[in-house]
Amino acid sequence: MSQPGKSILLVDDDQEIRELLDTYLSRVGFQVRAAADGAAFRQSLCAESADLVILDVMLPDEDGFSLCRWVREHQRFAQVPIIMLTASSDEADRVIGLELGADDYLGKPFSPRELLARIKALLRRAQFTQERGGEVLAFEDWRLDMVSHRLFHRDGEEVILSGADFALLKLFLDHPQQILDRDTIGNATRGREVMPLERIVDMAVSRLRQRLRDTDKPPRLIRTVRGSGYQLAATVSLQAGDGR
């Protein structure tokens, strides 16, 4: 499956990798832009957004973690899927990247075919989450606009969601009051394992709880069901409007 017209912004200081991926991904129908450092990446993304970002951790001017955080803090780019690349085998790097909102993680050296498979999976997920056009889902004190992916609290605060945050929240909202096991959550939100599945899912749920102010002990909104998984303890209703 090719993705004609989909744009990818590649950020890596290794010229050979940039040229190899530019050629490979262009041949299968992607529009590829490349940057060698953080400054060029910021300039390129601000000038024209992308459908997906491939972001190296080690760059000459600033690391990929700070760039990932910068992307997630801007409403205009917050939903863009991010794949992070690293030459390090340290799991701590993967944890940091995922906690900052990266959608996937790939260690160097890697196969371009594997990278392509992950790109396609993330773009399919991004497309799937946009299918329910015009809907606003209401639960507790929150409103989620399914088109813009904007999440609003009744006090007026807007919470910026990454693509992974949105996919997980949507999964819970599609199955209120149901217990979802870790396999179901992992397959729906990430689709593959970059570290033990249990670790990935627990991190993702913890991050979403922070977004939803669900920090009581024990959490009130997204409950842990010991030995089974997680449950959204809220009633969900469908509304019209912009989520405010």
Side-chain angles (χ1 to χ4, degrees):
M1 183 189 76
S2 64
Q3 295 281 345
K6 294 291 185 180
S7 62
I8 293 177
L9 180 51
L10 165 65
V11 193
D12 199 301
D13 62 342
D14 188 318
Q15 183 176 350
E16 291 187 5
I17 290 180
R18 293 199 308 272
E19 291 177 351
L20 183 152
L21 293 181
D22 189 345
T23 300
Y24 183 81
L25 296 174
S26 295
R27 284 177 178 172
V28 295
F30 291 103
Q31 297 178 5
V32 181
R33 310 195 317 270
D37 56 35
F41 165 69
R42 291 173 185 262
Q43 182 179 8
S44 181
L45 192 62
C46 288
E48 182 182 357
S49 189
D51 294 305
L52 183 140
V53 168
I54 301 172
L55 179 59
D56 190 20
V57 170
M58 299 300 294
L59 295 169
D61 53 350
E62 63 180 307
D63 61 54
F65 299 133
S66 64
L67 293 173
C68 181
R69 181 187 297 110
W70 175 77
V71 171
R72 292 300 179 232
E73 289 174 349
H74 288 73
Q75 182 65 46
R76 180 184 170 196
F77 315 128
Q79 322 307 330
V80 176
I82 297 175
I83 299 177
M84 299 198 77
L85 305 178
T86 181
S88 171
S89 60
D90 188 351
E91 184 177 293
D93 279 357
R94 301 181 180 185
V95 171
I96 293 171
L98 295 173
E99 287 182 340
L100 290 173
D103 296 274
D104 205 346
Y105 219 103
L106 188 60
K108 295 180 178 179
F110 58 86
S111 162
R113 291 182 64 183
E114 182 179 3
L115 176 62
L116 177 61
R118 299 188 188 186
I119 289 171
K120 290 179 177 180
L122 286 177
L123 290 175
R124 282 195 298 268
R125 189 186 74 185
Q127 181 177 357
F128 177 76
T129 59
Q130 296 174 1
E131 290 180 351
R132 300 174 68 164
E135 295 185 1
V136 173
L137 296 182
F139 62 104
E140 289 286 314
D141 297 328
W142 297 95
R143 302 290 182 273
L144 178 66
D145 189 308
M146 301 298 290
V147 176
S148 67
H149 298 188
R150 301 170 75 190
L151 177 66
F152 295 96
H153 192 267
R154 68 176 179 180
D155 65 11
E157 179 195 5
E158 179 179 354
V159 177
I160 295 176
L161 298 175
S162 70
D165 292 334
F166 178 84
L168 178 55
L169 178 56
K170 181 179 181 298
L171 177 66
F172 279 121
L173 295 178
D174 284 344
H175 303 88
Q177 310 294 337
Q178 296 182 32
I179 299 173
L180 303 178
D181 61 33
R182 286 183 171 86
D183 287 336
T184 299
I185 296 173
N187 290 334
T189 58
R190 204 168 301 279
R192 58 170 305 279
E193 300 181 19
V194 296
M195 64 181 70
L197 178 63
E198 182 173 339
R199 183 79 176 274
I200 292 175
V201 170
D202 292 346
M203 285 170 49
V205 171
S206 176
R207 188 173 60 241
L208 182 59
R209 282 170 170 163
Q210 293 292 327
R211 304 289 189 269
L212 296 173
R213 307 181 187 179
D214 191 25
T215 56
D216 293 341
K217 301 294 183 182
R220 178 182 55 84
L221 188 55
I222 300 178
R223 296 176 179 171
T224 301
V225 182
R226 190 173 299 278
S228 298
Y230 294 97
Q231 177 189 45
L232 177 69
T235 300
V236 180
S237 62
L238 179 63
Q239 299 183 350
D242 63 0
R244 292 181 183 272

